[in-house]
Amino acid sequence: MTTITYYYTHVSPWSYLGHARLGEIAARHGASVDYVPLTLGAIFPRTGGLPLAKRAPERQAYRLVELKRWPQRLGIPLNVEPKHFPTDDRPAARLALTAKARGHDIAELSLALMRACWAEERDIADAATLVAIADACGLEGRALLEEAESGAGQQRLDAACQAALADGCFGAPWYVVDGEPFWGQDRLELVEAALAR
């Protein structure tokens, strides 16, 4: 079985727009997905990326154009300028990685975290919000959060970011199929073509 390694941050609208589609593509081709949430705060400084606020005005303006196009095309609700963005992406990543370490499939949890940020006006850096989302996904939110905020939780996040950098990741979402990298949800058609080969 082919495994798609998927690096993403819960505060990326592009990760959100491609998240469910990736799962559908994997299912169609009998592939599995290794979900690896990360923080772009560890990726950008090493790879030349800039946080949104530091990008040129032209780049910021075009991002908004694309953020209006893609949700309409895909039929996915998305608030172009959500109330709680930007926000710290580390707590959500640590929570999801802790759930993964406990053997849970984190596809649903991660989608719920993304939806909370991009469609529900919730702050996914807030502890109570994280617990509520995890609980709604059938997980033990409080216990997960306590472990996630421990040294072990941070070590998992550090390891995820190091793995992403080793795979050439410089942005999110980032997909790897048989060693071949793909950047952006608009490359999912190419991801599917690689699986079909």
Side-chain angles (χ1 to χ4, degrees), residues 32-114:
S32 65
V33 179
D34 181 15
Y35 293 87
V36 188
L38 47 72
T39 173
L40 289 177
I43 303 300
F44 282 170
R46 295 279 300 276
T47 59
L50 291 174
L52 181 61
K54 294 186 177 180
R55 295 176 197 165
E58 295 82 0
R59 289 178 178 267
Q60 293 190 41
Y62 186 73
R63 172 184 172 276
L64 291 176
V65 171
E66 287 281 85
L67 279 180
K68 291 173 183 172
R69 285 180 181 150
W70 279 100
Q72 291 175 358
R73 178 178 174 85
L74 299 171
I76 296 174
L78 181 143
N79 182 350
V80 174
E81 297 183 271
K83 180 179 179 181
H84 299 287
F85 177 85
T87 193
D88 188 352
D89 60 358
R90 295 171 297 176
R94 288 191 293 256
L95 182 81
L97 287 166
T98 299
K100 180 180 177 181
R102 289 187 172 194
H104 298 293
D105 178 349
I106 61 170
E108 179 187 355
L109 173 62
S110 284
L111 182 58
L113 290 164
M114 293 174 187

Side-chain angles (χ1 to χ4, degrees), residues 8-12 15-16 19 37 84 87-99 106-137 139 144-145:
Y8 59 98
T9 170
H10 298 100
V11 300
S12 161
S15 296
Y16 168 54
H19 189 84
H84 299 287
T87 193
D88 188 352
D89 60 358
R90 295 171 297 176
R94 288 191 293 256
L95 182 81
L97 287 166
T98 299
I106 61 170
E108 179 187 355
L109 173 62
S110 284
L111 182 58
L113 290 164
M114 293 174 187
R115 189 184 299 117
C117 177
W118 291 101
E120 298 172 353
E121 300 288 28
R122 299 166 77 187
D123 184 2
I124 61 170
D126 174 71
T129 300
L130 291 175
V131 169
I133 292 170
D135 286 347
C137 290
L139 304 173
L144 275 180
L145 184 67

